[in-house]
Amino acid sequence: MAASLALTLLMPTGAMAATGQNAGKDYENTRKAAAEKAALLTETYGTTSVQYALIDQGNIVVSGQSGRNDEEGKIPLTAETMYGIGSTGKMFVTAAVMKLADEGKVDLDKPVVQYIPEFTMKDERYKQITPRMLLNHSSGLRGSTLANAFLFEDNDTYAHDTLLEQLKGQTLKADPGAFSVYCNDGFTLAEILVERVSGTDYTTFIREHFTEPLGMSRTATPLDNPDPSGMAGLYSPTIKGQLPNESVNVIGTGGVYSTAEDLVRFSQIFTGQVEGILSDAAVSAMEQEEYKKGLWPEEADNSIGYGLGWDSVNLFPFGDYGIKALAKGGDTLLYHAALVVLPEHNMAAAVLSSGGSSTLNQLLANDMLLNALKEKGIIDAIKPEKSYGEPVKADMPEEMRAYAGVYAATSQSIRADLSEDGELSLSIIQLPDYPAEKYFYTADGSFMSEDGSTKVEFVTEKNGRTYIWVRSYATIPGLGQTALSYYAAEKLEPHDVPARTAAAWKQRDGSKYYVVNEKYTSAAYLQAPILPIDLTGGLPGYWADRQLTGPDSAASNVQIPGMSGRDIMEFSFAKQGGTEYVEAGGSIFVHEKAVKPLYAGKKSAATIQANGYAKWYTVPDKAAGKTLTVKLPKNGAFVVYDGNGAVIEFSTITGNNKVVLPKDGVIVFAGDAGARFELSLK
């Protein structure tokens, strides 16, 4: 692999194959359908631009784009336009670990601490975590430590560099290996493992071992400093004009840029079309049903079912055709991606987008593959969409009433009400204005939606915990259908707290906390990064899914496989100089009492103190409607939000230094320690 001759010999035919426009008429119907559905994404479903490709037997036979790119319309979308692929990039770090395993340098089932000796946690169970558990989401790590991970055209490696320090102060949410629940930190830790074992930085490792051998010339990481003009244009609904490019600086978790054509070239590792990169045993290990090793709902049509790296190793609807399909999706704040691979048929499709979602992209990828299979005569027809049929109501047994109560998932609690006539009502307590979902008891013992698309059951698992089990078919008009089977929430048990703890939390109830440690280039400022505390309507002793564990602490203890139990954090409150702060997952927030009204006189200024914390202000009534002018420091920015929390000015994006202040708005100044913002108001 290290020799240039070996690199040349490993070049796959797909890298030199004709693209869709020159591939003949064999896939004419597939190309036509792909173009129509890509246009539907950009014209109807809010996607700014989309790029897609399909590879078959090592040849890229479909390739295209739809939508707009730059604001001026001067830079067209092409097959070489690069997109952030988000968590689809987890397949690169998974392949990297498997490469080291092939070389005998990593044992998937030995403790991670053997490879990263400085990895420690407050919870002694961390010593049981293995590389396999990082890759199949069963490590027990709490989820996502992503402070300063998403930045605008800034490849600051802070999030990667500080992960081990952040993990030192965390506990696990479950025994390692107990169940698979989506976990970003596991893949950043896997990235660090690759670096420690190989002695090479991760960006160099994937370039030398994957992208160069596979001819993926349009794949890079933020540390490659790719030209922003070659990236797909990004936009926000609340900010006029094109945004700077988004840098995701936890590269193993989601910091790779690529193209649809490059991604399908990468897929050839998993279809056996290239040799010498990963062994057959490594590829086979990645597509095993890892999710079945721990707690998981009964088997059903699903789009989630973890392998090593893969989101699904049995992707719906391909099982209905007797075809094995592997899938990995990815979503950053602004970019979205999907890769679907049919290893037994040497085919794959990739769809990337600016705006939209990975779910929509995956539906387009599915459709491309199904159309291609049909054109090749592998399947006779595309099957009709599925449902559970028209619900037949039945009398509900009285004992079902015991399942009523409060259930929890990540950052929310759900009230389940059961009426005497067998109606189940599910409502999100944190969203009182959101309509409750209604289901009816049926003869098979489940509750069903009126349209027959969704089944709900209550399951008490072998761990003694009770879950809401949801099975659902979701149809997206014009694009297709996806299926999910998952534990949506776990029933909360009563939790009594001491009087001192109750009093402390009663005082916080209704308060807001504002993030202070996000960099001035952070994309987190696109949505007001404010943490509200609202105990209203929830189960006593809880803040949404989080159990109140002391006067100054709270932590979620739910154990839900899949997606509903991801990113459950520990919250720690402390006072500094009389001001209360809260830390969670590496992010630090300040109490609203520290957020004072903005004063902008002739000589007023906002200065970032030595701790580097951002400074927040409210917009007083007398300032609303006036123009604020800011003399910006070199390393600083300001963001202004209206009364609904929508961004109306973000100087990192616009370069502006003036803004008309909104009524009931807030403003934040962020920058390096010592940065001074001189202010005037007219």
Side-chain angles (χ1 to χ4, degrees):
M1 290 295 296
S4 59
L5 177 61
L7 293 176
T8 302
L9 292 174
L10 285 169
M11 183 71 72
T13 57
M16 299 173 282
T19 57
Q21 291 86 342
N22 302 310
K25 297 182 179 181
D26 291 346
Y27 297 87
E28 184 174 348
N29 291 338
T30 303
R31 287 197 293 274
K32 180 180 178 182
E36 290 175 352
K37 291 183 185 295
L40 184 66
L41 282 177
T42 56
E43 294 168 7
T44 304
Y45 286 105
T47 303
T48 301
S49 71
V50 62
Q51 181 191 72
Y52 54 90
L54 185 146
I55 194 168
D56 184 12
Q57 313 302 320
N59 295 306
I60 296 175
V61 296
V62 177
S63 180
Q65 312 84 36
S66 179
R68 65 172 174 146
N69 194 11
D70 66 306
E71 187 73 10
E72 292 80 20
K74 297 179 180 178
I75 305 175
L77 291 166
T78 71
E80 294 194 341
T81 303
M82 295 172 71
Y83 290 75
I85 64 171
S87 287
T88 306
K90 287 181 170 66
M91 297 313 303
F92 285 87
V93 75
T94 303
V97 172
M98 300 307 290
K99 178 71 177 174
L100 294 173
D102 275 345
E103 295 172 355
K105 297 176 181 177
V106 169
D107 185 323
L108 293 182
D109 298 307
K110 296 289 186 181
V112 169
V113 292
Q114 289 193 13
Y115 308 105
I116 313 175
E118 64 270 43
F119 168 45
T120 63
M121 298 182 71
K122 281 198 304 186
D123 191 323
E124 285 296 306
R125 293 175 296 175
Y126 81 92
K127 296 175 183 177
Q128 303 168 28
I129 298 172
T130 66
R132 181 185 302 277
M133 294 173 188
L134 299 181
L135 304 180
N136 69 16
H137 298 281
S138 72
S139 65
L141 295 171
R142 288 197 166 263
S144 300
T145 304
L146 297 176
N148 294 300
F150 298 83
L151 306 177
F152 284 120
E153 291 184 11
D154 182 349
N155 61 5
D156 188 335
T157 57
Y158 171 90
H160 164 280
D161 298 344
T162 60
L163 178 66
L164 293 178
E165 187 63 31
Q166 297 288 350
L167 292 177
K168 282 182 182 179
Q170 295 184 21
T171 63
L172 297 176
K173 63 185 176 187
D175 290 338
F179 55 88
S180 293
V181 53
Y182 202 84
C183 178
N184 284 316
D185 284 349
F187 287 80
T188 304
L189 196 55
E191 174 189 349
I192 295 170
L193 183 150
V194 170
E195 293 177 329
R196 294 289 191 276
V197 173
S198 69
T200 306
D201 71 89
Y202 177 67
T203 292
T204 300
F205 188 93
I206 63 172
R207 183 192 310 123
E208 291 180 349
H209 294 284
F210 299 104
T211 61
E212 287 183 353
L214 289 166
M216 298 168 63
S217 62
R218 297 295 291 168
T219 299
T221 81
L223 295 181
D224 288 315
N225 294 305
D227 183 358
S229 67
M231 305 290 177
L234 299 174
Y235 299 87
S236 167
T238 63
I239 297 177
K240 186 178 180 180
Q242 187 174 340
L243 306 181
N245 189 49
E246 182 186 36
S247 296
V248 181
N249 298 310
V250 280
I251 300 172
T253 286
V256 174
Y257 305 112
S258 192
T259 67
E261 289 193 1
D262 266 12
L263 269 188
V264 294
R265 291 185 180 107
F266 178 64
S267 76
Q268 293 175 104
I269 297 172
F270 313 114
T271 59
Q273 292 294 288
V274 291
E275 297 180 353
I277 294 183
L278 287 183
S279 69
D280 291 344
V283 171
S284 176
M286 291 171 68
E287 63 185 51
Q288 297 307 303
E289 296 171 327
E290 293 283 327
Y291 65 98
K292 289 185 176 180
K293 293 181 176 180
L295 178 70
W296 198 263
E298 291 181 17
E299 198 71 12
D301 287 342
N302 208 349
S303 297
I304 300 292
Y306 303 118
L308 297 180
W310 297 111
D311 286 340
S312 178
V313 294
N314 295 303
L315 180 67
F316 173 85
F318 294 94
D320 289 349
Y321 301 87
I323 295 173
K324 184 177 185 65
L326 313 173
K328 185 72 192 84
D331 297 276
T332 71
L333 296 177
L334 299 161
Y335 283 122
H336 311 276
L339 173 65
V340 180
V341 181
L342 308 184
E344 298 161 344
H345 293 278
N346 301 327
M347 298 174 70
V351 180
L352 313 182
S353 69
S354 165
S357 75
S358 63
T359 299
L360 297 177
N361 292 356
Q362 189 176 97
L363 286 173
L364 174 52
N366 290 353
D367 187 79
M368 291 167 63
L369 288 164
L370 290 172
N371 273 289
L373 290 167
K374 182 182 175 184
E375 283 198 86
K376 294 180 70 174
I378 295 172
I379 63 174
D380 295 330
I382 296 176
K383 295 179 181 292
E385 293 172 347
K386 299 172 77 172
S387 82
Y388 292 105
E390 185 176 347
V392 179
K393 296 181 182 180
D395 292 334
M396 184 183 74
E398 181 61 28
E399 58 265 26
M400 293 297 297
R401 299 287 296 278
Y403 289 112
V406 176
Y407 291 72
T410 300
S411 301
Q412 67 181 18
S413 48
I414 299 167
R415 186 173 301 282
D417 293 314
L418 286 162
S419 67
E420 291 182 0
D421 62 355
E423 181 182 87
L424 168 64
S425 176
L426 299 177
S427 56
I428 300 173
I429 293 173
Q430 287 71 38
L431 299 173
D433 296 330
Y434 190 81
E437 296 180 0
K438 305 287 187 180
Y439 304 92
F440 304 94
Y441 189 77
T442 61
D444 69 356
S446 70
F447 296 85
M448 285 182 60
S449 60
E450 196 163 2
D451 64 359
S453 66
T454 304
K455 275 190 174 188
V456 178
E457 293 186 48
F458 295 95
V459 177
T460 299
E461 275 282 3
K462 55 191 175 184
N463 61 7
R465 299 175 183 233
T466 299
Y467 299 91
I468 298 174
W469 177 25
V470 176
R471 285 168 287 172
S472 180
Y473 295 106
T475 298
I476 310 300
L479 290 174
Q481 188 178 55
T482 187
L484 286 173
S485 171
Y486 63 105
Y487 287 150
E490 177 190 322
K491 192 173 187 181
L492 295 181
E493 298 299 329
H495 172 59
D496 294 329
V497 298
R500 181 166 169 262
T501 296
W505 281 92
K506 183 178 180 180
Q507 193 170 12
R508 290 190 188 101
D509 191 16
S511 299
K512 295 178 181 178
Y513 292 75
Y514 295 75
V515 77
V516 292
N517 68 330
E518 284 291 333
K519 197 173 181 181
Y520 57 92
T521 54
S522 176
Y525 290 118
L526 280 179
Q527 298 172 333
I530 299 172
L531 175 69
I533 295 183
D534 185 359
L535 308 182
T536 306
L539 200 65
Y542 290 87
W543 165 32
D545 61 312
R546 307 146 190 139
Q547 196 175 90
L548 309 183
T549 54
D552 298 315
S553 60
S556 180
N557 293 314
V558 298
Q559 297 195 354
I560 312 174
M563 299 293 283
S564 298
R566 62 177 290 181
D567 300 336
I568 60 174
M569 299 180 183
E570 299 169 294
F571 292 78
S572 178
F573 296 78
K575 287 190 175 181
Q576 301 176 22
T579 299
E580 186 171 68
Y581 293 84
V582 56
E583 188 277 334
S587 295
I588 301 172
F589 301 79
V590 66
H591 192 280
E592 62 186 0
K593 286 183 179 178
V595 181
K596 306 298 183 183
L598 178 71
Y599 171 74
K602 292 182 179 179
K603 296 183 179 181
S604 62
T607 302
I608 305 300
Q609 301 304 306
N611 59 15
Y613 288 173
K615 301 193 74 170
W616 289 82
Y617 297 88
T618 59
V619 176
D621 288 344
K622 64 181 180 181
K626 295 183 179 180
T627 298
L628 174 71
T629 301
V630 182
K631 184 178 180 181
L632 289 161
K634 180 181 179 181
N635 296 322
F638 73 99
V639 190
V640 180
Y641 303 90
D642 66 18
N644 296 316
V647 175
I648 64 168
E649 179 58 59
F650 187 173
S651 64
T652 291
I653 294 172
T654 66
N656 295 336
N657 72 331
K658 293 183 179 182
V659 62
V660 177
L661 294 177
K663 181 177 174 58
D664 300 324
V666 291
I667 182 169
V668 58
F669 299 94
D672 291 347
R676 178 181 169 86
F677 301 80
E678 296 182 8
L679 315 175
S680 63
L681 193 64
K682 292 184 181 180

